[in-house]
Amino acid sequence: MNTSYGEYLIYLKQRSRLGYLYRRYLLYPKLCNYLNGNYLDIGCGIGDLLRYRNNTVGVDVNPEIVKYCQSQGLNVYLMKIDVLPFDFSSFDGVLMDNVLEHIKNPKPIFKEVRRVLVDGGRFVVGVPGSKGYARDPDHKLFYTKEKLIKT
């Protein structure tokens, strides 16, 4: 994708009202049933989950997104691709919601996830369905349920 960091921030901020309501009142309440303790949101985007859930830290590779989130008072850090800026065993859980499909080779970031997770920590991954996948030109891999389990 040839979209600049700033253009991608604008794209993320243009989500629909229905998309916001879905995340705020359906997805996040259900998701939080599985998120206990201190969580890391990889690819936090415009920080929706960070606004909703305490004890959550965000990271993103897009410096414009990080600046935007920080200007909103959110706890967000810039990360290098496949490198998380945290110590070993820093988080009780890690979330990648609508991020995995942007990554051609997930093995390096999965190693980092394992590094920052406490023993017995939880790794939660969400990917879009076919309609959501088709909406974003930056998506690189489509995950069926079987492919996601295999990955």
Side-chain angles (χ1 to χ4, degrees):
M1 178 173 181
N2 293 329
T3 303
S4 74
Y5 287 133
E7 289 171 330
Y8 201 71
L9 171 62
I10 291 167
Y11 164 75
L12 289 179
K13 290 168 65 177
Q14 292 176 354
R15 62 141 186 257
S16 69
R17 178 125 173 92
L18 182 60
Y20 166 76
L21 294 172
Y22 164 75
R23 286 183 170 278
R24 175 81 171 127
Y25 295 104
L26 183 64
L27 177 63
Y28 293 154
K30 286 186 179 227
L31 187 59
C32 285
N33 290 327
Y34 301 97
L35 307 180
N36 297 311
N38 186 24
Y39 251 77
L40 174 63
D41 184 3
I42 297 177
C44 65
I46 57 175
D48 288 341
L49 179 66
L50 304 174
R51 284 182 184 86
Y52 183 83
R53 184 183 186 277
N54 294 328
N55 298 324
T56 305
V57 175
V59 292
D60 209 292
V61 297
N62 182 326
E64 295 299 318
I65 286 174
V66 172
K67 281 192 273 185
Y68 170 77
C69 288
Q70 289 173 342
S71 77
Q72 303 293 304
L74 301 173
N75 189 9
V76 177
Y77 297 87
L78 184 64
M79 67 174 280
K80 295 179 185 174
I81 293 175
D82 298 330
V83 180
L84 296 171
F86 305 104
D87 293 331
F88 284 83
S89 302
S90 295
F91 296 95
D92 299 309
V94 174
L95 171 70
M96 290 179 80
D97 181 29
N98 286 292
V99 174
L100 189 59
E101 65 279 3
H102 293 267
I103 302 170
K104 285 183 184 176
N105 176 12
K107 287 182 183 179
I109 192 62
F110 284 179
K111 286 181 183 178
E112 278 291 279
V113 167
R114 182 65 196 117
R115 184 182 67 78
V116 301
L117 268 175
V118 299
D119 285 340
R122 183 170 278 171
F123 182 32
V124 179
V125 176
V127 294
S130 58
K131 288 182 183 179
Y133 180 82
R135 251 185 246 139
D136 190 332
D138 188 53
H139 290 166
K140 297 181 178 40
L141 294 173
F142 178 72
Y143 286 89
T144 61
K145 180 180 178 180
E146 294 77 23
K147 185 174 182 177
L148 184 59
I149 290 169
K150 184 178 177 185
T151 299

